[in-house]
Amino acid sequence: MAMSCGDASDQSRFCVLSWNQVQRLDSILGEPIPIHGRGNFPTLSVQPRQIVQVVRARLEERGVCVKDVRLNGSAASHVLHQDTGLGYKDLDLIFGVSLRDDQAFRLVKDVVLDCLLDFLPAGVSKDRITALTLKEAYVQKLVKVCNDTDRWSLISLSNNTGKNVELKFVDSLRRQFEFSVDSFQICLDSLLLFDRCSETPMSESFHPTVLGESVYGDFQEAMTHLCHRTIATRSPEEIRGGGLLKYCHLLVRGFRPASEGDMKQMQRYMCSRFFIDFSDIGEQQRKLEAYLQNHFAGMEHKRYECLMTLHHVVDESTVCLMGHERRQTLSLISMLALKVLAEQNAIPNITNVTCYYQPAPYVQDINFSNYYIAHVQPPLVPACSNSYQTWLPCS
């Protein structure tokens, strides 16, 4: 787990938020977010600060000590720098708790589902609603990770627009970021305490001290990367999926590597880890489709660009696959890109299509180049007044 908010043994990781940043944070925590129910279950409209306060109080009632609560990911980056070029979708909330055994994992899940019952609108009969029913109605995703280095669980609440509230309960987590620009965490404890205890509204001269942390390391360095749209990371082989899809996403959003040379080397590690985690072509397709769905809602026009960027990176940097596996993956990406164009009614006119093909390996003529480019021309159809059958009868 990252340092608690009160531990300042490495001051460079931390920074006190400005008044403008505190205002943005307060606005995000106070904005009602719909949690959509499946079937006949009603939509819940809940403020993030309400979720945090209720879940935390219920956990402590059940004897679970919550060390701190943090805002994580793109929402935290948005608080620190509004014009990130990324915006934010999911609201990632981290609860620092102890998860010693399976019973602790079950307790956390039961508490969250119990809280959902409290958020149901007045007039809804709750007598026959079980925890299983609530899970099926309102939970998008349940994840449990328990191994030597990582002990955490994730409960993602449903939102039809992709703006999910993700509650993450973390005992230990070795790798908490992909790139420096998504490494920020903001401790919410002081702001939530102010909500409960102060009768005076916040102002520039009277507001709680809120700490931000970069789990990448140096806070100011990470902020510089965020403000200048710079891509930087370390040890991408430690990231599930290698950070490959997020890397292509950042490139499409106008971010650029801090060092082209270093990033070329890291691309190899990204590709290698991606194909270790998603070795089957079916897994690759499900992962790509889910990523496009979750991260490009409302920006469907960027999906094609992201896929073509991924195609280029995989083609250039994959060294861990057999030739046929590599071709299979590249064909999958091309197929998905074509599908995206079709969904947008953006299939190019035949006059603009360029075909790329590679000569057979037995061609040794030095006049052959590596690739041939053929510009396709539409067929010339002579004008005539007579019409003919498409199919001719057999004689």
Side-chain angles (χ1 to χ4, degrees):
M1 181 65 189
M3 282 181 209
S4 66
C5 293
D7 186 350
S9 59
D10 185 358
Q11 293 291 340
S12 67
R13 296 169 66 92
F14 296 90
C15 185
V16 176
L17 269 61
S18 68
W19 166 235
N20 286 336
Q21 291 168 335
V22 172
Q23 284 181 300
R24 281 199 293 273
L25 175 62
D26 185 62
S27 175
I28 286 176
L29 295 180
E31 178 188 358
I33 294 180
I35 301 172
H36 297 109
R38 298 185 182 91
N40 295 325
F41 278 83
T43 296
L44 312 180
S45 182
V46 188
Q47 294 179 354
R49 60 172 19 104
Q50 289 177 302
I51 297 175
V52 171
Q53 289 164 342
V54 172
V55 170
R56 182 174 198 160
R58 198 66 57 82
L59 284 171
E60 291 175 346
E61 286 173 9
R62 302 287 293 272
V64 178
C65 177
V66 179
K67 302 167 193 172
D68 56 23
V69 183
R70 295 168 174 239
L71 180 66
N72 182 54
S74 58
S77 298
H78 176 79
V79 167
L80 295 171
H81 183 61
Q82 194 168 11
D83 186 25
T84 61
L86 292 172
Y88 76 95
K89 286 175 44 13
D90 292 343
L91 204 68
D92 301 327
L93 297 163
I94 299 178
F95 294 75
V97 295
S98 175
L99 298 170
R100 299 181 303 277
D101 49 33
D102 285 343
Q103 185 179 352
F105 279 95
R106 285 195 299 272
L107 177 59
V108 163
K109 182 182 72 173
D110 291 344
V111 163
V112 173
L113 296 176
D114 194 38
C115 291
L116 290 178
L117 196 63
D118 291 347
F119 293 134
L120 286 170
V124 175
S125 177
K126 304 176 184 179
D127 297 337
R128 297 184 179 180
I129 300 178
T130 64
L132 179 61
T133 304
L134 287 169
K135 179 176 80 70
E136 293 298 323
Y138 291 110
V139 174
Q140 178 79 19
K141 182 169 55 177
L142 270 174
V143 178
K144 174 187 172 184
V145 175
C146 185
N147 55 43
D148 293 340
T149 58
D150 296 337
R151 299 180 68 85
W152 57 271
S153 68
L154 172 72
I155 301 175
S156 179
L157 305 180
S158 299
N159 181 282
N160 294 343
T161 64
K163 195 172 186 178
N164 298 331
V165 177
E166 303 208 326
L167 309 179
K168 198 169 191 176
F169 300 87
V170 178
D171 183 311
S172 59
L173 182 58
R174 182 180 61 170
R175 178 76 180 219
Q176 300 186 68
F177 71 98
E178 290 184 279
F179 296 88
S180 61
V181 294
D182 61 22
S183 69
F184 298 103
Q185 297 181 359
I186 298 172
C187 189
L188 305 179
D189 296 353
S190 60
L191 187 59
L192 297 175
L193 181 63
F194 186 93
D195 286 346
R196 295 198 303 271
C197 299
S198 177
E199 297 180 358
T200 306
M202 285 197 307
S203 65
E204 185 169 3
S205 59
F206 184 70
H207 63 269
T209 298
V210 180
L211 277 181
E213 178 185 0
S214 169
V215 291
Y216 170 77
D218 188 284
F219 187 96
Q220 294 304 328
E221 181 184 358
M223 271 299 291
T224 299
H225 294 164
L226 183 64
C227 294
H228 292 89
R229 302 192 181 188
T230 301
I231 302 174
T233 189
R234 57 172 176 269
S235 305
E237 66 275 9
E238 296 177 356
I239 308 168
R240 176 164 173 77
L244 177 62
L245 301 186
K246 180 63 176 286
Y247 172 64
C248 295
H249 187 181
L250 290 174
L251 287 173
V252 167
R253 293 295 193 93
F255 286 69
R256 290 295 173 261
S259 165
E260 291 285 350
D262 291 345
M263 198 52 70
K264 292 291 184 187
Q265 180 68 23
M266 286 193 179
Q267 283 180 187
R268 294 189 174 189
Y269 290 112
M270 291 178 196
C271 291
S272 295
R273 178 60 196 262
F274 181 85
F275 291 116
I276 288 171
D277 292 331
F278 306 101
S279 56
D280 178 74
I281 193 70
E283 290 179 328
Q284 293 168 21
Q285 180 170 350
R286 287 189 292 273
K287 179 64 178 175
L288 290 177
E289 289 176 340
Y291 191 89
L292 294 174
Q293 181 66 34
N294 294 335
H295 293 84
F296 289 91
M299 292 186 308
E300 287 76 8
H301 61 287
K302 289 287 187 181
R303 291 178 180 178
Y304 175 78
E305 189 178 350
C306 184
L307 285 167
M308 296 316 295
T309 301
L310 175 64
H311 189 285
H312 173 74
V313 172
V314 170
D315 189 32
E316 182 180 63
S317 301
T318 299
V319 294
C320 62
L321 297 181
M322 300 289 287
H324 71 281
E325 294 173 323
R326 182 168 167 276
R327 288 191 296 272
Q328 191 177 41
T329 297
L330 290 172
S331 295
L332 168 65
I333 298 170
S334 298
M335 180 271 290
L336 291 175
L338 190 61
K339 181 181 175 183
V340 165
L341 287 179
E343 289 171 351
Q344 298 170 14
N345 294 319
I347 298 293
N349 185 282
I350 192 170
T351 57
N352 298 323
V353 172
T354 300
C355 295
Y356 296 85
Y357 61 94
Q358 196 167 13
Y362 53 77
V363 176
Q364 300 294 326
D365 190 332
I366 61 172
N367 293 321
F368 281 91
S369 60
N370 288 336
Y371 285 89
Y372 294 82
I373 302 176
H375 296 283
V376 180
Q377 298 295 333
L380 296 175
V381 181
C384 59
S385 57
N386 298 325
S387 61
Y388 298 93
Q389 291 176 296
T390 304
W391 298 97
L392 296 178
C394 293
S395 57

